[in-house]
Amino acid sequence: MLTLLNEYKHFNGAHRRYRHFSQSNQCDMIFAIYLPPRALSGSRVPVLYWLSGLTCTDENFATKAGAQRYAAEHGIAIVMPDTSPRGDDVPNQNAINIGHGAGFYVNATQEPWAKNYHMYDYIVNELPDLIEQNFPVNQTRSIAGHSMGGHGALQIAIKNPERYQSVSAFAPIVSPSDSAWGQAAFREYLGKDTAAWKTYDSVTLLREAETLLPCKIDQGTADEFYPRELQPEKLAQVAAERGFALELNMREGYDHSYYFVSTFIGEHIAFHAKYLAVLQKV
């Protein structure tokens, strides 16, 4: 059951926040959805799933990126889930990269995380089923994200190309197995066996992938986490070696913040709109 928390008129569409019980995460989850004017007038529209980064909730992107303006223009719904399960009964650590706000879009196998931290299943299966059953959308989807969310979007798209039309990322953690943030989280969620880590590592996955969806990545050169945690060139190199098209834009002087994301989000929405329109059903 969905519980409506907030609703705002926005660019003649509707931005809504909901709470529901998640079977994947065994706790209440919150997500937001922006429905463009076209959806409110009776048409079923395609969906862009946005995955946010460490410490974020559904509200960071919704209030800071300015994406709704472009979604309204292109007739695309945007779904913005929380980054992690939360609550008094959900395990947590006092660290930005483990626990609440840091689900890393994996299915945890280690205690105490295994019961609740199944963000991969939630994003790939449970949430789309919920959205498609309850809102005026079709089954045409794309996926995007920022930082940890960029990691999530890329590894999910590489593993599930049949479910999406395109993928994009801002400052993504493309190789969490080679990142201090990723290593710490994976050790907690997946255990010490690094073979399990590779199933969520975009660089490793792309080496063995049969295809790559249309892919766009933006990285700021003044990002305080680049190149230590963020190594998009690694993914671009593997894509080139495999003969896959990947657009990597190095943005001079931009940092890791939503000032960066909001500057280029219009280009990302337009990028996805081009591919979502191919299978759009009215």
Side-chain angles (χ1 to χ4, degrees), residues 209-229:
E210 294 182 2
T211 187
L212 176 64
L213 294 170
C215 182
K216 178 182 178 73
I217 296 176
D218 278 35
Q219 173 66 57
T221 62
D223 190 319
E224 60 268 42
F225 307 114
Y226 171 79
R228 187 177 70 255
E229 305 288 347

Side-chain angles (χ1 to χ4, degrees), residues 7 39 44 48 67 79 86 98 112 137 142 164 175 183-184 186 208 217 224 228 238 244 246-247 257 273 279-280:
E7 181 172 9
R44 291 191 173 272
L48 175 64
V79 172
R86 300 174 192 264
I98 301 168
V137 302
S142 287
Y164 305 97
S175 186
Q183 289 171 354
F186 283 8
E208 301 175 359
I217 296 176
E224 60 268 42
R228 187 177 70 255
V238 173
F244 299 146
L246 184 155
E247 177 186 342
S257 72
L279 295 180
Q280 191 171 146

